[in-house]
Amino acid sequence: MYTRRKPLKPPQSIHITALGSYAPTRVVTNNDLSEMVDTSDAWIQSHTGIRERHIADEEELTSNLAYRAIDDLLAGYNLEASHIDGIVCATATPDYPGFPSVACMIAEHFGITGPALDVSAGCTGFIYALEVARAMIATGSMKNALVVGAEKLSSVVNWKDRNTCVLFGDGAGCALLEPSEEGGTGFIDTLLKAEAAGTKALTIHPKNHAIEMDGRAVYSFAVRTIGATILALVERNNLSLESIDWIVPHQANRRIIQACSKRYGIPEEKFYMNIDRYANTSAASIPLALREMDRAGLLKKGQNILLVGFGAGLTYGGTLLTWTH
């Protein structure tokens, strides 16, 4: 029999308390791709900053990548799956058309009985999913929430299209959001936006199920919106760029970050980049980067962290938070 949930008291603050990630073991280098299409390692690196990417095996599904990332979180922070109340998963590559949502697959796999839902906002998906989870915790719909970004982009790449196949990789990352009645800043502010008129600039074609992209349009959109999002979040919270310790962007193209840095006067060293080893993993790129930073000891208590993304839709957005552990 269904038992009605008792609403939770709104928390004073909400924090990221744990991180996990997973990248498939198979690594495809630029030289490997040069044997498949007319390209070269030098061209790919100079135009994108990418050296290699992780590609899932055919039998590995998006949900499998998510499971491995969550296993990493549970093991790394000595947690049990029963600790997790709800799942919000950002993905553009569900296992199969018509299959249950990836979040539901995760919930079933780990025996989680709370809310489970997918968010589809392209490469900005993880930013959107963070805000959905934060809001659900704040209103008492979840005690805590595991936010997952998982993508098997190799399943929607045209491996004969040299303009797009060099850009993408597979992977998954996750973050556990938990409330605190004791305060501490945690999440400060989130900005979510979309420019629907640009939908055709970046999309998965409905017939051949392959990524299609207007590279110039996406480049211009990304440089403009990354910079505008960063400045908006900083200014409306009465902060300065100097007070931001790390900017963790969606990892799409190093040249985009360099152009944004130059145009908006944002020091390039504030941006954390690992695109050289993972390529563009869409909604998984930011949590993959956060977990790598956490392992390297780069995330420290009290730091101001700004996450920023852009992607198909066209969507964009950012989240400003203080690291609290």
Side-chain angles (χ1 to χ4, degrees), residues 15 34 83 88 146 162 188 219 227 243 249 252 272:
H15 312 255
S34 69
H83 179 76
V88 182
L146 185 66
R162 67 175 183 173
I188 299 171
Y219 178 90
S243 68
Y272 183 81

Side-chain angles (χ1 to χ4, degrees), residues 230-231 234 239-245 247 264-267 270 306:
I230 292 169
L231 295 184
V234 167
L239 297 172
S240 64
L241 284 173
E242 290 73 22
S243 68
I244 304 300
D245 295 283
I247 299 170
Y264 291 93
I266 304 169
K270 285 190 179 289
L306 202 157

Side-chain angles (χ1 to χ4, degrees), residues 60-227:
E60 274 187 300
L61 305 177
T62 299
S63 56
N64 298 135
L65 305 181
Y67 302 160
R68 298 290 292 272
I70 297 167
D71 285 338
D72 177 57
L73 180 147
L74 296 175
Y77 294 82
N78 195 28
L79 295 172
E80 298 292 335
S82 58
H83 179 76
I84 299 167
D85 190 45
I87 304 285
V88 182
C89 181
T91 186
T93 56
D95 291 348
Y96 298 110
F99 257 50
S101 77
V102 176
C104 288
M105 300 291 285
I106 293 168
E108 180 183 16
H109 181 81
F110 288 98
I112 298 164
T113 58
L117 67 149
D118 282 2
V119 172
S120 180
C123 300
T124 323
F126 188 74
I127 301 293
Y128 272 68
L130 282 175
E131 179 59 13
V132 169
R134 187 208 61 78
M136 293 184 75
I137 294 170
T139 58
S141 298
M142 295 183 185
K143 297 176 185 177
N144 60 48
L146 185 66
V147 180
V148 182
E151 302 284 13
K152 186 181 178 181
L153 291 169
S154 61
S155 66
V156 291
V157 165
N158 178 357
W159 291 101
K160 296 181 180 180
D161 179 6
R162 67 175 183 173
N163 294 316
T164 58
C165 74
V166 302
L167 301 175
F168 300 100
D170 300 331
C174 55
L176 182 63
L177 273 59
E178 297 191 271
S180 172
E181 303 300 336
E182 300 176 0
T185 307
F187 282 84
I188 299 171
D189 193 9
T190 294
L191 183 151
L192 301 177
K193 294 284 187 178
E195 294 182 4
T199 298
K200 293 183 180 179
L202 179 56
T203 187
I204 297 176
H205 196 279
K207 290 186 178 180
N208 62 15
H209 300 290
I211 294 172
E212 294 184 347
M213 182 175 69
D214 180 340
R216 289 187 178 181
V218 172
Y219 178 90
S220 298
F221 166 78
V223 173
R224 171 173 55 84
T225 56
I226 289 176

Side-chain angles (χ1 to χ4, degrees), residues 43-51 123 163-164 166-168 213-216 218-220 222-223 226 249-261 268 271-276 278-282 285 308-310:
W43 188 93
I44 297 171
Q45 287 205 53
S46 65
H47 285 72
T48 69
I50 298 168
R51 290 189 292 109
C123 300
N163 294 316
T164 58
V166 302
L167 301 175
F168 300 100
M213 182 175 69
D214 180 340
R216 289 187 178 181
V218 172
Y219 178 90
S220 298
V223 173
I226 289 176
H250 163 52
Q251 312 284 316
N253 188 314
R254 183 174 293 276
R255 288 176 65 181
I256 288 174
I257 301 305
Q258 291 171 334
C260 176
S261 169
E268 189 176 338
F271 291 90
Y272 183 81
M273 297 289 290
N274 64 0
I275 190 173
D276 59 320
Y278 294 97
N280 181 343
T281 55
S282 189
S285 73
V308 61
F310 63 92

